[in-house]
Each structure stands twice: as C-alpha cells, then as structure tokens.
Amino acid sequence: ALFTVIEAAGATLARLVVAYCFALTCAVPLAILVTHSERAEKILLPLFDIFQSVPVLALFPNYILFCVQFNFLNGAAVFILFLTMLWNIVFTLVGGINVIPKDVLAAARIFGLSGFSLIKRVVVPAIVPQLVTGSLLAFAQGWNIIIVAEVLHTYIPGGTAAQDLFGVGSILVDAASRGDNGALLMAVSVMVVLIALINFFIWQKLLHFAQCFRFD
C-alpha cells in the first residue's frame, strides 16, 4: 500500500512538473511583452488581470469533456494546473522587471545591448529572484488544486471513479469516501514529506542562489 501511494505521488509530481514547465515557458515572454512599453502595460496588464480573476474551474468541465473525446484526461489535469500556475509567475515577473534600476538599463544600452541581447544579458538575470519566488508560489498553488485536477469523474456526466487519474490527490479522495483513515493518513503523510523534501532540497536552494542576482 505504501509503495502504491509513493508511486501515485510520483505521478502527481510529474503532472505538476509538466504543467510548471509549460507555465514558465509562457510566463517569461508574456511578462517581457507586458513591460516592453508603457502602452503595452496599460493595455495588456488589465487584460491579464481579468484572465487571472476568471476562476480556472469555470473552464475545466468543458475542457474535460473535450479531452474525454480523445481519451486524453492527463491533458485536462495538466491544463488546469498550467492555468493555476501561469498567472502567479507572470505577475511576479512583471513586478521584477519593473523594479530593474533605470540606470542599469541605460548603461546596458550605452554598451550596445538592445532587443534579445538586452533581455538575455540584463533582464533575465535581473528577474531570477522573482522567477524563483513566482515559481514557488505557482507550485504551491498546483498542490492546492491537485485533487480537482485528478478527480475528474465529478465533471463527467455519468462519470465513475475509474476515470480519475492515478495520483495522490485521487487516492486521498478515494480513501476519504471509503472511510479508510489509514490510507488517508498514509497519503497525506507521503504528500507532506514529498512537499517538504522539494521545499528543502530545491526551493530553499534556489531562493538562496537567487540572492546573488538581487540589486542592492
């Protein structure tokens, strides 16, 4: 039973990592696009705020029904996790870009940096602290919504538990519905330990590393 729960936690973590990679890939260019000019920020930032404010679960049932037709339920889970993570990273990065000292940008341009070279050599290194912070918050949000992402049968008309994805979230719900307190405690314990290990060995290390990129 313990091995099954650990295997389920691994499956859940894989979904979170895939969703995070998609979110990060989209968030960085979106944040750079928003802060490209004052006009872009005035137009796009309110739009992004609206997108962020729309509950992701409002779109989830329709997307699940779409994925069911192609037997791609993992895609539905990754999609909901992606949307949950995306805006945390975007708005944290926007804040990071906006606090880059103007004299640093001016000096970079004096030395001939512009366009992609400016982004690569100045902007991206400058936002490393915000990137790590936003990623930490995004991953935490992903854990918060993992049950919704894996227990899919509640969104499918006539759905059954067999349509749920194998993961620690679905095991938690299944154990709770059966009144199996032992399995529930085991699943919670494994999830807490996994989160603690990731936090200690990855996020804390990255937060410490990111201090090297701060402007003092």
Side-chain angles (χ1 to χ4, degrees), residues 12-78:
T12 294
L13 181 60
R15 291 185 190 102
L16 286 166
V17 170
V18 171
Y20 167 73
C21 290
F22 280 122
L24 182 62
T25 302
C26 293
V28 174
L30 284 176
I32 292 173
L33 177 64
V34 169
T35 55
H36 178 68
S37 67
E38 290 186 8
R39 184 177 181 183
E41 189 164 347
K42 288 180 180 178
I43 295 173
L44 294 177
L45 202 56
L47 286 177
F48 287 0
D49 194 33
I50 292 172
F51 294 151
Q52 180 195 31
S53 301
V54 175
V56 290
L57 296 183
L59 305 172
F60 198 38
N62 290 332
Y63 191 75
I64 288 178
L65 294 178
F66 173 79
C67 290
V68 165
Q69 298 178 21
F70 300 96
N71 195 27
F72 189 48
L73 294 180
N74 259 309
V78 170

Side-chain angles (χ1 to χ4, degrees), residues 152-166:
L152 302 178
H153 76 272
T154 55
Y155 300 94
I156 302 172
T160 65
Q163 293 170 300
D164 292 342
L165 297 174
F166 178 64

